[in-house]
Amino acid sequence: MSGSITMHSTSPHDGAFMDPLAGARHVFHNLSAGELVEHALLQGGAHLSDGGALMVDTAEHTGRSVRDKFIVDEPASTSDIWWGEVNQPMAPAHFQNLRARAEDHLRGGVVYVQDVFAGADPQYRIAVRLVTDSAWHALFARNMFIRPTPQEHEGFAPHYTIIHAPGLQAVPAQDGTHGGTAIVLSLEQKSIVIVGTRYAGEIKKAVFTLMNWLLPQHGVLPMHCSANIGEGGDVAVFFGLSGTGKTTLSSDPSRRLIGDDEHGWSAHGIFNFEGGCYAKAIGLDRDREPAIWRASTCFGAILENVASQDGVIDFDDGSRTENTRSCYPIEFIDHIQPDGCGGIARHVVMLTADAFGVLPPLSRLTPQQAMYHFMTGYTAKVAGTEKGLGATPQATFSTCFGAPFLPRPPEVYGAMLRSLIEEHGVACWLVNTGWTGGPCSTGQRMSLAHTRRLLNAALGGELDAAGFEEDGYFGLLIPTEVQGVPSGILRPRQAWDDARAYARAAGELLDMFAKNDELKRKAAARDL
Ligand SMILES: Nc1ncnc2c1ncn2[C@@H]1O[C@H](COP(=O)(O)OP(=O)(O)O)[C@@H](O)[C@H]1O
Ligand SMILES: C=C(OP(=O)(O)O)C(=O)O
Ligand SMILES: [Mn+2]
């Protein structure tokens, strides 16, 4: 590997397409946050909260459209793609159509251009240009990615361009899509097209997919995780699927936040891909999560699908969706690592929100167990929209805690993590941020205070000399005592009133893991 790596082998604009902006009526380049807020209000469909946060509505798409994501099937770039359910091929001719129509659509009106970077480590950074007709999505990109300095803006040459036309519907017969929505990556043409959805998370996760494609060729492991750094410079990464606590737990007043969702692990250490956070806002409570609450409610923040009355935010209202979101630049959090870079991770934490209430709140993993849980990627959600009584939990297995974002086969990422854990003697932990004392219908959500205390004990070295005992089902090592947490909580069997009900639930969860292992074995045999 050379000193300065070129993440982009050909010239930024390879001439395959016209400048997407040529002929556009009004083009606004790199407006400030204040200007974008003004434009968003004028464009309509947005208003300010009493504290100044921009409140927007995404209409029917309130989450990612997993089935509508495509990678263009281009021979030079796609031989290493993990084709299948996650990565569906799109014919180059279809992409050509779709992109041309998206550009035409944008040319017809007002266009916002935001130039940003992904990758805090300059060596592995890509320059990304978002072209959109929606001012608040331009603000989203400005908040979420790394904002160039004035000098960096001069001569900014995008390596990748995102054509974002949320109001345009794809046409399946012409564009090769399933319906009106499409998120399409062309690795060869260095271009991403997003149509038919206003959910802003598509923008950041499309760039994440791109980083997941690019970085392994440079010996860097891309990860769906948050990261922070302790007083002594010790770095921890927190893997986990959506809603397991990456954002919440990484902003901890006693540790500096590196980032809340996407990181790379290079020979120098951990670096954020982003410059902002995208927190789940449902139930956001001022007292329980003061840092995220403050960041989410001030001018410059965007609140997606959050309800309000006369400007007063109601974070408890999930009537539009449970997946309400807040988006803010990382500087809105007090304790951050300003350059977005830390050293080699000393701790790897795997978060799971176990709605069956079976897994211990904290357990230590051997390197082998850590790899098993990484390749398995378990979490369990409450099914449907009605939470609480009677709801049945739904197990989810998403390999590498991020299958929807992996363009390469999972083993590529697994092998890299395995060698990093071995090489650096990394301590590994499994944390259940889900339920305790029963499944979600009868148990309680793990207290955030307990989860934070357990993590601080693990990361701060308090548990180095602690006693551990096996859980009896998963071979997990549970600390027998942690200051500040009742011992009855540490062992899930004791947290349940009915020991037999616990045994049954644990057995059932083990079966679900075994079924998933079997499915993976079959899929691997098919691919041989
Ligand atoms: N013990 C807990 N640990 C972490 N999060 C919890 C816990 N209890 C409740 N929560 C809630 O779960 C949600 C976790 O969401 P978030 O941190 O945004 O997840 P992610 O970033 O992994 O998608 C938040 O709404 C948080 O308040
Ligand atoms: C942005 C997302 O990720 P997360 O929930 O992991 O923050 C998402 O799933 O749309
Ligand atoms: Mn998050």
Side-chain angles (χ1 to χ4, degrees), residues 240-249 260 278-280 282 288-289 325 433 445-448 451:
L241 291 165
S242 187
T244 56
K246 294 184 298 299
T247 302
T248 307
L249 297 169
D260 83 324
Y278 195 41
K280 275 192 184 284
I282 194 76
R288 248 185 323 144
E289 294 168 68
R325 291 277 174 168
T433 60
R445 185 76 196 253
M446 204 69 77
S447 122
L448 189 50
T451 303

Side-chain angles (χ1 to χ4, degrees), residues 28-58:
F28 294 101
H29 283 271
N30 297 310
L31 295 189
S32 67
E35 289 166 322
L36 288 170
V37 169
E38 283 181 6
H39 279 255
L41 295 172
L42 286 169
Q43 284 191 316
H47 67 275
L48 292 182
S49 74
D50 56 359
L54 185 69
M55 307 200 67
V56 298
D57 192 326
T58 65

Side-chain angles (χ1 to χ4, degrees), residues 63-64 199 201-202 204-205 224 240-243 246-247 260-261 278-280 323 325 405:
R64 280 178 294 103
Y199 180 64
E202 298 286 11
K204 74 173 229 111
K205 284 299 200 314
H224 187 215
L241 291 165
S242 187
K246 294 184 298 299
T247 302
D260 83 324
D261 198 51
Y278 195 41
K280 275 192 184 284
N323 189 30
R325 291 277 174 168
F405 323 116

